[in-house]
Structure formats: structure tokens, C-alpha cells
Amino acid sequence: ILILCVLLLPAVAAAASFPKSNPVPGGVAVLQLPDSKMRPMVHLGHERIMVVRHRDHWYALAGIPLSTQPGELVLEIKAAEAPALQLKFSVVPKQYAEQRLTIKNPQLVNPTPAELKRIEREHAHLLKVLDTWVAKPDPGLAFIWPAAGPQTSGFGLRRFLNGEARSPHSGIDIGAPAGTPVKAPEQGVVADVGHYYFCGNTLTINLGQGLYSVFCHLSKINVHKGERVRRGQIVGAIGATGGTTGPNLHWTVSLNGTPVNPHEFLVQGPPPAAESKH
């Protein structure tokens, strides 16, 4: 019985976890909603916002784009038994670090016109995938680390490739040898599998209500589109495909169509250490 209780402790801890509000660019605003018998429908601009039940209250979880300027944002709330109302909240500033990388293949920094067309097609496709709403009453919000190894690049970094400015880093990078297993951070359904110019072999998992986990640069993908995956299931392996300087896992978490810091949902401390081969 004691062994069983010990084994159940991590699951119980995860079930009790709930994200804290962090209303910064790239963060997640967690806002308690007015009382309602039915789940309210919430929008931020044109984007539908996740609404979950926690401790007898409804909460909206809104991802804030990295490009958002500090100031006031407004949620539009509609409950079946009440008139529409607005809930205002403030976005506070946050400074992110800079990172400078050297990439040997110049086409990954300045693609050819034909490659640019491919990149545009892939970008439009991935945006469509991440903007697909799938209703799920209780999406898992207590993420585990998807791979063992140190975090080598943080979320929101202002990146410079071969001296040229690029978009801020949309996820975090985990450094580990090629072949290191990659696990699903929460239960969900595989929304997309493909090979993309910058991202290489890429796996996208739909976690529900506009929440997605995206893994890039994989050497191997073990699952297929439409497959249900469980929390902790091995879904692929770290690789160096696409635009990368070496083996690593690029992990993006998208909420209501915008990348947010994966740490907003991680319930563990530092990532587990990569296994030694010696």
C-alpha cells in the first residue's frame, strides 16, 4: 500500500496544479470570471480563450503575444444566462535576453525565392493548425518536461543569426544527444506531423481549447496524425533536422494562436539531466 501511495503522489500533485497569472508579453493571464452555471464563452479580440473550472470558479487563460505593448487588454465574456460584459486586465513589461548564433548554411539565414515560397506555405499551414479550436472540458495544464537535458535557449530571446536580427524565440530549446526520447507533456491528440524548412521533422499535439505543444528538429516521430497520446508517452526522438546548429529539441507551446512561455505550465523544477553514455 505504501508503494502504491508513493507512486500516486506525482499524479496527485499534477492534478492539483493550476497556472499562476503572469500577464506579460509571452505570458498567460489567468483571470477569474463572474459566477455562471454554464461555461462562459470568452474572446480576446478575434481569438477564443480557454475557460476552465477550478475550485468552484470559472477561469479564463489568455495567451499574450510577445509583440503586445504594455497596457490594458479587454476580454469579451458571454454567458448564456447573462448579458455580455467586459473584463479588463493590464499587461506589464518584460525584458528578454539576446542570443547570437552562427549557422553555416547561408540558405537557412537568407533562403532563395523558391525556398521563401515553401516557407510561406508551411507557415500558413502551421498557423491554421494552431488556430483550430477543439472543445475539451478539462485540458491538462500540468506539463512534464518533454526530454532530459539542459535548457540551452529560453523563451522570448531576441535572436541574431549570423549577425542578422530575427523574430524572438518562440519556445525553449533542450540540448541532448540525437535519439534522446521526447515525451508528450500532457494528454492530447496529434494534430500535425510533417517536415518543414526551418523546423525539420515537427510534431504538433492538440491539448484542447486552443492549447498546443509543438516539437521541432526531431530525428524520429513515433505517432501519426489523429492518434491519442497520453502524458509521458514517448512520441519521438531529438534530432538536428531543419535549421539548427546541432541536436536539440525546440519546444513551442501555443495558446489561443500565440506562442507562450512553456514554463507557465511546467509543474516540475529544472529539466531532468540527460543520461550519460559512459
Side-chain angles (χ1 to χ4, degrees):
I1 294 175
L2 177 60
I3 294 174
L4 178 60
C5 291
V6 171
L7 290 175
L8 285 175
L9 280 175
V12 172
S17 178
F18 193 70
K20 295 181 179 179
S21 188
N22 188 23
V24 300
V28 177
V30 181
L31 303 165
Q32 185 175 330
L33 302 176
D35 289 340
S36 171
K37 293 180 181 179
M38 303 294 292
R39 184 188 307 269
M41 184 174 291
V42 178
H43 286 82
L44 178 60
H46 297 292
E47 292 293 336
R48 188 169 176 182
I49 299 301
M50 174 185 288
V51 175
V52 295
R53 193 75 171 169
H54 178 65
R55 293 182 178 174
D56 298 323
H57 294 286
W58 294 113
Y59 286 86
L61 277 67
I64 304 171
L66 272 167
S67 59
T68 303
Q69 296 298 312
E72 192 173 78
L73 294 180
V74 180
L75 294 183
E76 303 287 341
I77 305 169
K78 182 67 178 73
E81 71 278 14
L85 55 87
Q86 294 183 334
L87 179 60
K88 299 178 181 180
F89 67 98
S90 295
V91 176
V92 297
K94 180 177 176 61
Q95 291 291 328
Y96 290 98
E98 294 186 357
Q99 183 182 51
R100 298 178 182 272
L101 299 172
T102 299
I103 294 184
K104 295 180 180 179
N105 184 351
Q107 290 183 344
L108 291 175
V109 181
N110 295 298
T112 65
E115 289 165 338
L116 283 173
K117 289 183 178 180
R118 173 189 171 184
I119 293 166
E120 290 172 0
R121 289 194 305 269
E122 293 174 351
H123 182 66
H125 169 74
L126 289 171
L127 284 180
K128 184 177 180 181
V129 171
L130 297 176
D131 202 36
T132 301
W133 180 271
V134 175
K136 187 176 182 181
D138 55 348
L141 303 176
F143 290 1
I144 62 170
W145 280 94
Q151 178 178 303
T152 54
S153 293
F155 176 84
L157 284 173
R158 295 180 58 207
R159 308 193 91 171
F160 295 82
L161 302 184
N162 297 359
E164 298 184 20
R166 289 295 185 266
S167 299
H169 196 209
S170 64
I172 63 176
D173 292 341
I174 298 173
T180 299
V182 174
K183 301 177 181 179
E186 256 295 356
Q187 62 178 343
V189 177
V190 177
D192 186 70
V193 174
H195 181 87
Y196 300 104
Y197 185 84
F198 284 123
C199 298
N201 294 328
T202 301
L203 168 64
T204 302
I205 302 174
N206 184 344
L207 306 174
Q209 290 202 50
L211 183 61
Y212 287 84
S213 172
V214 185
F215 296 140
C216 302
H217 308 313
L218 300 173
S219 61
K220 180 172 63 175
I221 297 175
N222 298 349
V223 292
H224 56 80
K225 185 176 179 179
E227 182 175 344
R228 294 184 178 277
V229 297
R230 66 185 182 277
R231 186 174 189 262
Q233 178 180 338
I234 295 176
V235 293
I238 285 179
T241 57
T244 179
T245 56
N248 76 97
L249 176 67
H250 172 90
W251 180 28
T252 288
V253 172
S254 179
L255 179 62
N256 52 266
T258 190
V260 297
N261 193 336
H263 286 274
E264 303 290 349
F265 296 98
L266 280 163
V267 295
Q268 297 174 321
E275 293 184 5
S276 173
K277 294 189 175 182
H278 301 287

